[in-house]
Amino acid sequence: MLAALLLSVSAGAAMAGPTVKIGVMNDRSGVYADATGQGSVVAAEMAVADYAKSLGLTVEVVSADHQNKADVGASIARQWYDRDKVDAIFDVPTSSVGLAVNQVSREKSKAFINSGAATADLTGAQCAPYTIHWTYDTYSQANGTAGALTRRGGDTWFFLTADYAFGHAMERDARQTVLKDGGKVVGAVRTPFPATDFSSFLLQAQASKAKVIGLANAAGDTANAIKQAGEFGIVEGGQNLAALLIFIGEIRALGPKAAQGLILTEGFYWDLNDATRAFSKRFGERLSGRMPNMIQAGVYSSLVHYMKGVAATQSTDAAKVVEWMKANPTDDPLFGKGTIRADGRKMHDMYLFEVKKPSESKSEWDLYKVLATIPAEKAFRPIAEGGCPLVNKS
């Protein structure tokens, strides 16, 4: 029924240790394929190549396309766990699919390390014992981008919201941030997911006279909305666009002229330091010169820590491995040092970026300048506010 792209990566172990099978599940053919897709598989392969042998592990990587459908994602997860003996699932963009895989993983007592889905509910009401939310979430995106724009004077907002779990969560968290920082939400409209024509929705936003139009969508949908907003002269007319979740691939596709001045929040940028540049160069050599985004970097980083947990516990049992992962600090070349909270939230700094002007950009991937570093404890929702049942038990 499902055409699963199967990629095997074996790392010969210097000594006998656990054999591990991990699944990278994401969008390989739709609106999020560029943001995750083969790039996330490449990142997983690189993590295995860099660490598995020295940790004494043999690791196999399989991957599949969830088609951005929750039922498809849940079906793949069940098949992987029950028939294919997959030990842990990684990536899983699209919040509705992430929540579905989260539930299956809870039922099967398996590790689910999410880098791709945004909904902060994964560490809130829907938190699960063996789920870790690695890279970013709707709270961090809203807190970074919406907070910065509101404090800069963008105090009236209108939202274009993708009509599924991610969009709803993003609008909710951005709305709370706007109100907390003294702003006002004057309206919102739900848009289909995925969508190619945002004309009628943008006209409603334009007519609202809101200072900021918040795009509570992602990846290709966000890029399409920005292009069409340019056709309507929305920014030239005095309104600002807030890309609440957009990745470097979409920024590059838009080009500095169309994207210049956009404010965005990410947890990783290829040109942050020597370590991120070295990794990104190797990544680009495997993927036609592309630079990784924060989701793909998160797949690498999360798999590194997971493999360390397997090696330390000499087990693939989710309870033992995730307990070790939460008890021990994270440390990798892409995100540096971090921790994992009781609710499964991976804690690391986030960054507020501005897209460079064409005159400032020295190459096709030289696109961001850092406006601010957002410390982890300020970037992510306080643990007491999430409503995660695990916190009450810890």
Side-chain angles (χ1 to χ4, degrees):
M1 179 181 68
L2 297 172
L5 174 64
L6 196 62
L7 295 171
S8 294
V9 182
S10 294
M15 60 180 183
T19 296
V20 188
K21 191 171 187 179
I22 69 110
V24 178
M25 188 194 303
N26 57 35
D27 177 4
R28 302 189 62 86
S29 57
V31 68
Y32 295 153
D34 183 74
T36 59
Q38 180 62 16
S40 290
V41 177
V42 167
E45 293 175 349
M46 291 175 66
V48 171
D50 290 349
Y51 287 89
K53 184 176 181 179
S54 64
L55 291 170
L57 304 178
T58 299
V59 182
E60 181 184 3
V61 178
V62 298
S63 70
D65 184 354
H66 63 40
Q67 304 170 40
N68 294 312
K69 297 176 181 178
D71 59 339
V72 173
S75 177
I76 293 171
R78 291 184 189 281
Q79 175 181 302
W80 275 355
Y81 291 145
D82 293 341
R83 189 192 74 182
D84 300 333
K85 307 306 178 186
V86 166
D87 297 298
I89 293 177
F90 288 74
D91 200 8
V92 195
T94 313
S95 291
S96 53
V97 185
L99 290 168
V101 172
N102 182 60
Q103 182 58 36
V104 174
S105 300
R106 181 202 300 268
E107 293 169 5
K108 302 293 183 180
S109 297
K110 292 287 189 175
F112 175 37
I113 319 298
N114 188 290
S115 178
T119 178
D121 291 344
L122 283 170
T123 55
Q126 300 301 316
C127 71
Y130 312 130
T131 292
I132 295 174
H133 202 178
W134 199 266
T135 309
Y136 73 104
D137 59 28
T138 49
Y139 185 96
S140 68
Q141 300 308 111
N143 190 44
T145 304
L149 288 171
T150 302
R151 291 189 294 273
R152 289 179 171 206
D155 54 4
T156 55
W157 284 66
F158 186 101
F159 288 101
L160 266 63
T161 303
D163 194 11
Y164 79 107
F166 156 68
H168 301 169
M170 182 62 83
E171 181 190 325
R172 175 199 67 203
D173 291 343
R175 182 185 289 265
Q176 290 174 355
T177 298
V178 169
L179 296 176
K180 179 186 69 175
D181 288 335
K184 179 181 179 182
V185 177
V186 300
V189 62
R190 299 284 171 85
T191 66
F193 170 75
T196 55
D197 185 2
F198 291 90
S199 301
S200 63
F201 310 118
L202 287 166
L203 288 172
Q204 291 180 59
Q206 190 175 40
S208 75
K209 306 297 184 183
K211 293 179 182 178
V212 181
I213 299 172
L215 301 177
N217 49 22
D221 279 358
T222 304
N224 285 333
I226 291 171
K227 288 177 185 175
Q228 290 165 32
E231 295 168 5
F232 288 117
I234 285 177
V235 175
E236 289 85 348
Q239 291 173 293
N240 291 313
L241 297 176
L244 294 171
L245 182 58
I246 192 167
F247 305 104
I248 193 168
E250 285 75 49
I251 296 293
R252 173 178 170 268
L254 284 167
K257 184 176 180 181
Q260 63 181 313
L262 275 178
I263 305 296
L264 56 118
T265 303
E266 294 211 50
F268 170 88
Y269 177 49
W270 73 269
D271 200 22
L272 274 177
N273 53 54
D274 288 344
T276 59
R277 284 188 285 272
F279 169 81
S280 300
K281 182 177 184 294
R282 292 194 296 127
F283 180 95
E285 289 169 352
R286 292 171 176 243
L287 204 65
S288 304
R290 295 187 62 83
M291 293 294 100
N293 60 34
M294 68 171 171
I295 290 178
Q296 294 155 348
V299 170
Y300 178 95
S301 172
S302 60
L303 182 50
V304 168
H305 195 58
Y306 174 81
M307 288 190 294
K308 289 179 181 178
V310 171
T313 61
Q314 286 293 292
S315 173
T316 57
D317 178 81
K320 294 179 181 178
V321 177
V322 172
E323 180 181 15
W324 185 95
M325 293 174 72
K326 289 182 177 181
N328 289 272
T330 66
D331 191 4
D332 66 80
L334 306 190
F335 291 84
K337 297 183 185 298
T339 58
I340 301 171
R341 299 190 314 201
D343 60 357
R345 175 69 260 161
K346 162 60 164 47
M347 300 295 288
H348 52 253
D349 293 346
M350 298 291 287
Y351 303 92
L352 190 68
F353 295 108
E354 181 178 345
V355 178
K356 291 182 175 181
K357 299 175 183 176
S359 60
E360 297 173 319
S361 181
K362 298 176 182 178
S363 67
E364 63 175 332
W365 292 99
D366 179 27
L367 297 170
Y368 296 172
K369 54 185 176 183
V370 179
L371 296 181
T373 298
I374 309 171
E377 63 274 13
K378 294 186 179 297
F380 294 101
R381 179 178 59 203
I383 191 169
E385 296 178 10
C388 171
L390 301 176
V391 174
N392 297 330
K393 296 175 183 178
S394 62

